[in-house]
Amino acid sequence: MIKTFEELESKQVACSKCLDGKFAGEDGKRAIVLCGGTGCLSSNSAEIRERFEKLVAEKGLSDKVTVNQVGCFGFCSQGPFVKIYPEDTLYRMVKIEDVDEIIEKDIEGGEVVERLLYVDPATKEKIAKQDDITFYKKQHRIALHGCGQIDPENIEEALGAGAFKGLARALKMDRKDVVDEVLTSGIRGRGGAGFPTGRKWMFAMNGDGDKYVVCNGDEGDPGAFMDRSILEGNPLAVIEGMMIAGYAIGAQNGYFYVRAEYPIAVNRLKIAIKQAEELGLLGDNILGSGFSFRAHIRLGAGAFVCGEETALLNSIQGQRGMPRPRPPFPAVKGLWDRPTVVNNVETLACIPYILREGAAKFAECGTEKSKGTKVFALGGKINNVGLVEVPMGTTLRELIYDIGGGVPNGKKFKAIQTGGPSGGCLTEKDLDAEIDFDNLVAKGSMMGSGGAIVMDEDNCMVDVAKFYMEFICDESCGKCSPCRIGTKRMLEYLTKITEGKATMEDLTQLEELAATIKAGSLCALGQTAANPVLSTLTHFRDEYIAHIVDKKCPAGVCKNLMQYVINKDKCYGCGACAKQCPVGAITKTDYIAEGKKLPALAIDPQKCIKCGMCVATCKFGAIEKK
Amino acid sequence: MAHLSEAAVAKINEICDRYEGEKTPLMMILSDIQKEYGYIPLDVQQIVSERTGVSVAEIYGVVTFYSFFSLKPKGKFVIGCCLGTACYVKGAQQVIDKFSEILGIKPGETTDDGMFTIDALRCIGACGIAPAVSINGKVYPKVAVSAVPGIIDELRAQGEE
């Protein structure tokens, strides 16, 4: 049990020595560390770890090597990762078959297994150290502090990495000064809307009686996994952030609301809470300061709308997750009608840093009105899929090309979608825009929670807008009619457009409807539901018109509007496509192209189901979309 | 509540007991029941209602709101047969028919022993390996009608472990 500030400090010093010792090999051991994020676990990192453990035991290496698991490395497209300390060698895309070689060559022989190193796609150079990889170079880790470094299931490693230093400092300060520190840092809510966190705390601090802190971990945007990775990689940071919030506003209970789809995150959070309780860092009279705090976990049950704060509170209260009108805001009347601060996972993960390092240090990076960093989940048509944390003010170009490694297969960049179903698209001309809350809104999108999906020339923007509308339509809670009925009608228009059945009149009505839904919906889900449509209409109006007037899908995505055609002069008549065609739509013609021996093939458009199998099969690029 | 076994009633009461001291524990209770039984039928909701004091109407509202909760049971193995066009023309209908014939249930239904549910899916994007069957998330490629009995035996063996 840790009962005083002094005891905490000496524990932190001991743990930090231990952790640094592990990284530096001072304990005389080498450490094999594996990524234990959801992505790597689903590509067998748990089995790889078992194999390592087994081999280490079999070969009697236990006194020389340790094996453990850490949180997400972030570079998901290159996973699973294995890192060896103290050399700091990073192996990527490790398979179970590679384990023996790593043990024999590296651990026993002291030689780097070259073939498992990351290869820089530009220079073709093999890179052994994580920090030398371009993907990591421009990153600045505040919220992701400790992720990919510490074992999330071992509180001692977290303590070694500075956990509870922020809380210890806060507990020695006056409550009001803690709120001021957070205000001064300029941090704004990372969940999407960007409301200043300190202001929220101030409102709640002023209320009386029972109060609550709620951590919003209901991350539902398709393509976003920032919160999951933080909870999986360093859950204690979020707990500490919640406790600091609790102390500042005068709450004794905190609730984590986490998606049921995140079992690993929930489990690690449970372990972290239990370990903190065992050490007396959660519970009554923490560190002898007189401050008591308890953390509880509540699970979501698969409703996107519960990411909206009032819907989330209703869900904790055992009701349907439907939003209620604001004001009153939760900071005044929230959980069980008591003042409640609802903060996003990433926001809370930044709080310990602000208290530990000071508001000024946090505010050092960022833009005038958006301080600190932001975590993005980079996905879609981009080389380096993964989780990145960059200072606010980084340009989209840096994010996409320097960190993300650009668009694969030499395709042309078309747009980057931020803010999920509530956001919009940014295009080529916005690439030099600095990323911050206000800039992205000014450009017609929004920061959102941090999903960033890159699209290339093969993506149809009408189809993308339709995808998000289908999502919103499914997830609309049904409470207010503009959202419930309006999104359905919008989806019908979009379907008509992608099927080539719409008129220009429909487009006008689609726009009118979008404006109505925006103005008339109760919560942010409805108010922003039209954004993907409006933003694609702004940037890609010609694509909509091509669908409506020319009955063509320029990107060749909308199946009703495209056809696969065999270029008879390129076709060698090998018949590979015909064998693959699931519907037997490809048959021989009597045309033999110059220089070819066999007659060319042709696709019967009546039979073709546009599955694309033939295109994937043809080695000569003879099958074209029209 | 004639068809709820005593053991089931005891289990549901035990789940309710877990959250005795919690404020508004309905979601937690329902999550646990869903996990335990795979569904939350009306007579179970009735017990929860008696225990929590929340009306059945409200509980029903909650159960139907969240996609994780279900009113009907699903089997231990959910066999999702893709009936997308590509799979269909490669004989997916015959495959799903074979599953139905052996298990004695129609698509959407669950076997009495709670082991299998058959679902008809629209395209799962696996046209290249048609006909595809997705069982508890694992995709089985190019499933021939003749392979169906083997798959069922394999699953049943797994299920009985």
Side-chain angles (χ1 to χ4, degrees), chain A residues 198-226:
Chain A
R199 292 256 300 280
K200 245 187 204 180
W201 289 18
M202 207 167 66
F203 293 136
M205 184 181 71
N206 293 331
D208 303 316
D210 281 350
K211 296 173 194 173
Y212 300 99
V213 184
V214 171
C215 172
N216 184 345
D218 194 54
E219 177 178 59
D221 293 14
F225 52 92
M226 297 77 50

Side-chain angles (χ1 to χ4, degrees), chain A residues 19-73:
Chain A
L19 188 66
D20 291 346
K22 172 175 147 187
F23 294 147
E26 281 163 10
D27 53 356
K29 286 184 182 176
R30 299 177 74 196
I32 302 172
V33 158
L34 286 103
C35 178
T38 294
C40 285
L41 282 177
S42 59
S43 33
N44 295 332
S45 93
E47 287 80 2
I48 294 172
R49 179 180 163 194
E50 276 167 25
R51 179 81 193 143
F52 269 116
E53 282 167 349
K54 191 165 167 260
L55 274 186
V56 165
E58 275 176 14
K59 295 188 172 236
L61 296 167
S62 306
D63 51 341
K64 291 187 199 130
V65 192
T66 59
V67 180
N68 66 2
Q69 152 189 281
V70 297
C72 182
F73 276 71

Side-chain angles (χ1 to χ4, degrees), chain A residues 212 260-261 296 298 301-303 305-306 315-322 336 477 582-583 609 611 613, chain B residues 22-28 31 35 58 60-62 64-69 85-86 89-90 127-128:
Chain A
Y212 300 99
E261 290 92 332
H296 313 259
R298 296 290 181 109
V305 68
C306 287
S315 182
I316 295 182
Q317 290 176 201
Q319 295 155 6
R320 290 165 77 102
M322 288 176 156
W336 299 298
C477 79
V583 286
I609 56 163
C611 68
M613 282 303 297
Chain B
E22 290 278 352
K23 259 183 171 177
T24 57
L26 184 61
M27 291 283 289
M28 293 190 274
S31 291
K35 242 180 247 160
E58 215 168 303
Y60 182 81
V62 170
T64 50
F65 183 83
Y66 295 96
S67 62
F68 257 50
F69 301 145
T85 322
V89 296
K90 284 244 175 169
C127 311

Side-chain angles (χ1 to χ4, degrees), chain A residues 411-448:
Chain A
K411 295 278 182 180
K412 200 170 164 305
F413 168 82
K414 189 170 191 178
I416 178 165
Q417 215 278 351
T418 63
S422 304
C425 294
L426 298 157
T427 57
E428 186 80 41
K429 66 179 178 11
D430 303 316
L431 280 183
D432 292 307
E434 294 187 336
I435 299 169
D436 78 2
F437 286 103
D438 310 295
N439 247 339
L440 291 190
V441 171
K443 300 267 176 205
S445 182
M446 66 184 280
M447 182 80 86

Side-chain angles (χ1 to χ4, degrees), chain B residues 1 12 23 33 37 41 56 59 80-81 87 89 103 115 126-127 132 140 149 152 154:
Chain B
M1 274 181 281
I12 292 156
K23 259 183 171 177
I33 296 175
Y37 294 104
V56 175
I59 296 176
C81 295
C87 287
V89 296
L103 296 174
M115 195 71 94
C127 311
Y140 288 65
I152 292 176
E154 182 195 320

Side-chain angles (χ1 to χ4, degrees), chain A residues 332-611:
Chain A
V332 178
K333 205 174 170 188
L335 198 56
W336 299 298
D337 288 343
R338 305 300 313 158
T340 304
V341 158
V342 185
N343 283 147
N344 168 265
V345 170
E346 191 186 333
T347 314
L348 288 177
C350 291
I351 299 292
Y353 179 90
I354 294 172
L355 268 295
R356 189 170 70 231
E357 311 284 340
K361 174 95 178 162
F362 181 82
E364 259 173 25
C365 66
T367 62
E368 197 196 333
K369 286 187 174 160
S370 303
K371 299 297 183 192
T373 57
K374 180 75 194 86
V375 184
F376 287 97
L378 270 182
K381 306 277 183 67
I382 190 152
N383 277 311
N384 303 341
V385 172
L387 199 71
V388 301
E389 181 169 359
V390 292
M392 296 272 189
T394 303
T395 64
L396 285 168
R397 191 181 297 281
E398 287 173 287
L399 184 68
I400 298 167
Y401 289 94
D402 298 348
I403 298 173
V407 180
N409 307 324
K411 295 278 182 180
K412 200 170 164 305
F413 168 82
K414 189 170 191 178
I416 178 165
Q417 215 278 351
T418 63
S422 304
C425 294
L426 298 157
T427 57
E428 186 80 41
K429 66 179 178 11
D430 303 316
L431 280 183
D432 292 307
E434 294 187 336
I435 299 169
D436 78 2
F437 286 103
D438 310 295
N439 247 339
L440 291 190
V441 171
K443 300 267 176 205
S445 182
M446 66 184 280
M447 182 80 86
S449 57
I453 316 272
V454 176
M455 295 167 202
D456 69 7
E457 53 190 314
D458 291 343
N459 287 106
C460 165
M461 300 316 282
V462 186
D463 182 65
V464 169
K466 184 172 146 240
F467 168 79
Y468 282 114
M469 195 51 70
E470 271 172 3
F471 181 83
I472 288 292
C473 225
D474 265 357
E475 294 295 340
S476 172
C477 79
K479 183 168 181 173
C480 72
S481 31
C483 176
R484 184 185 63 241
I485 305 169
T487 56
K488 183 100 190 146
R489 293 286 97 86
M490 277 184 82
L491 179 59
E492 285 167 6
Y493 282 125
L494 289 168
T495 308
K496 256 174 109 176
I497 295 173
T498 54
E499 286 177 350
K501 293 174 185 159
T503 60
M504 287 304 282
E505 170 84 29
D506 289 327
L507 192 62
T508 316
Q509 285 184 1
L510 180 70
E511 284 183 287
E512 265 177 36
L513 196 51
T516 312
I517 294 171
K518 210 171 175 170
S521 294
L522 176 62
C523 79
L525 183 114
Q527 286 155 12
T528 58
N531 281 0
V533 173
L534 291 173
S535 122
T536 47
L537 264 172
T538 310
H539 298 297
F540 302 98
R541 199 177 188 87
D542 49 338
E543 271 190 39
Y544 278 83
I545 292 174
H547 282 78
I548 297 168
V549 179
D550 311 333
K551 309 289 177 206
K552 289 258 181 246
C553 173
V557 172
C558 299
K559 288 192 174 173
N560 277 29
L561 301 179
M562 54 87 86
Q563 271 186 26
Y564 285 109
V565 179
I566 296 177
N567 182 332
K568 57 183 181 174
D569 290 311
K570 281 191 184 169
C571 178
Y572 281 81
C574 72
C577 56
K579 274 190 205 120
Q580 283 298 322
C581 178
V583 286
I586 304 177
T587 47
K588 272 200 176 98
T589 62
D590 43 20
Y591 176 86
I592 301 177
E594 221 183 293
K596 313 268 193 309
K597 287 179 184 139
L598 295 167
L601 303 171
I603 299 172
D604 179 350
Q606 298 300 317
K607 281 189 186 165
C608 176
I609 56 163
K610 296 160 191 170
C611 68

